[in-house]
Amino acid sequence: AQSVAQPEDQVNVAEGNPLTVKCTYSVSGNPYLFWYVQYPNRGLQFLLKYITGDNLVKGSYGFEAEFNKSQTSFHLKKPSALVSDSALYFCAVRDPNAGKSTFGDGTTLTVKP
Amino acid sequence: GAGVSQTPSNKVTEKGKYVELRCDPISGHTALYWYRQSLGQGPEFLIYFQGTGAADDSGLPNDRFFAVRPEGSVSTLKIQRTERGDSAVYLCASSLFAGYETQYFGPGTRLLVL
């Protein structure tokens, strides 16, 4: 069985500061890992994914994530937060042998001016 | 290009009624997924199709839930004898293929069972 944990329900940062949204996972074999963002009353928007290769993955809107196999983590990062980054962020894991994704319960990011 | 679309955007029904939720995937995407999202939680997998066939329906909660994709494009999620606990946002996603391809999500259908 595959699972995802997002240990923080909420992350607050000041605009211009770096941000980190944490994600740990459990899956048999090598995982496929994804980050999505959800704005109010909108669907999930894809940010980035890790499939294989370089552990540092760069995605949309200046976001990046680092895959750490030994810690089974895939934390989302951004060097300088914007107020417009305030949203709900979801981490997801997929077993390469399965089509379905398992999502965490989300982390609400609030960036204050 | 056009993204995943879902209709209706909102559906209010009474307990015991039958509902159908429709999903139009991105053109050319062979894989289609249904998820359910309750308030304060992440999307929960229901079923996915590769082409016309259901490749994995392990997430369907019970036999009141059924989904079809007869021509390998549009899909319909059908819920019989709706219950108040079925109230949630139903999300559809599609991807070029299954496996490592990115799943692109529609805006969802918000279902409220009174």
Side-chain angles (χ1 to χ4, degrees):
Chain A
Q2 54 194 37
S3 65
V4 172
Q6 294 183 240
E8 301 157 318
D9 290 337
Q10 196 142 16
V11 170
N12 298 311
V13 298
E15 188 174 29
N17 282 2
L19 69 87
T20 299
V21 182
K22 296 180 181 177
C23 171
T24 59
Y25 66 89
S26 174
V27 69
S28 58
N30 295 317
Y32 298 150
L33 295 158
F34 302 80
W35 275 102
Y36 287 84
V37 59
Q38 187 173 38
Y39 295 98
N41 300 315
R42 302 275 295 276
L44 278 74
Q45 295 180 35
F46 168 73
L47 280 179
L48 51 79
K49 68 182 177 183
Y50 172 82
I51 303 300
T52 187
D54 194 349
N55 289 345
L56 184 63
V57 178
K58 293 188 183 296
S60 306
Y61 312 119
F63 284 93
E64 57 189 29
E66 186 166 12
F67 170 63
N68 188 317
K69 188 172 183 177
S70 63
Q71 297 185 4
T72 61
S73 67
F74 189 57
H75 300 332
L76 181 70
K77 300 182 179 186
K78 187 173 182 180
S80 179
L82 300 173
V83 173
S84 57
D85 293 330
S86 299
L88 183 56
Y89 290 80
F90 290 98
C91 180
V93 66
R94 191 183 310 164
D95 185 319
N97 297 315
K100 66 181 182 183
S101 292
T102 298
F103 286 79
D105 284 337
T107 298
T108 299
L109 172 67
T110 302
V111 181
K112 297 184 177 180
Chain B
V4 177
S5 61
Q6 293 185 245
T7 54
S9 53
N10 291 280
K11 177 70 177 179
V12 181
T13 191
E14 293 179 345
K15 180 175 177 293
K17 298 289 188 182
Y18 168 83
V19 297
E20 289 189 352
L21 311 180
R22 176 187 167 108
C23 173
D24 281 85
I26 294 171
S27 178
H29 280 194
T30 65
L32 184 147
Y33 310 79
W34 284 100
Y35 292 84
R36 178 169 70 174
Q37 186 175 20
S38 300
L39 198 62
Q41 297 182 6
E44 175 190 13
F45 171 78
L46 296 176
I47 184 172
Y48 96 90
F49 291 87
Q50 181 61 58
T52 60
D56 184 351
D57 64 357
S58 62
L60 295 177
N62 51 58
D63 61 5
R64 295 188 297 106
F65 288 74
F66 189 71
V68 296
R69 194 186 187 201
E71 297 179 356
S73 179
V74 170
S75 176
T76 304
L77 178 65
K78 309 180 181 197
I79 310 174
Q80 298 177 321
R81 305 183 304 279
T82 52
E83 299 177 356
R84 292 193 180 88
D86 299 335
S87 297
V89 177
Y90 289 81
L91 298 170
C92 176
S94 70
S95 64
L96 197 57
F97 301 101
Y100 60 79
E101 290 290 335
T102 300
Q103 296 175 11
Y104 294 95
F105 283 80
T109 293
R110 187 175 301 272
L111 175 66
L112 178 60
V113 182
L114 300 176

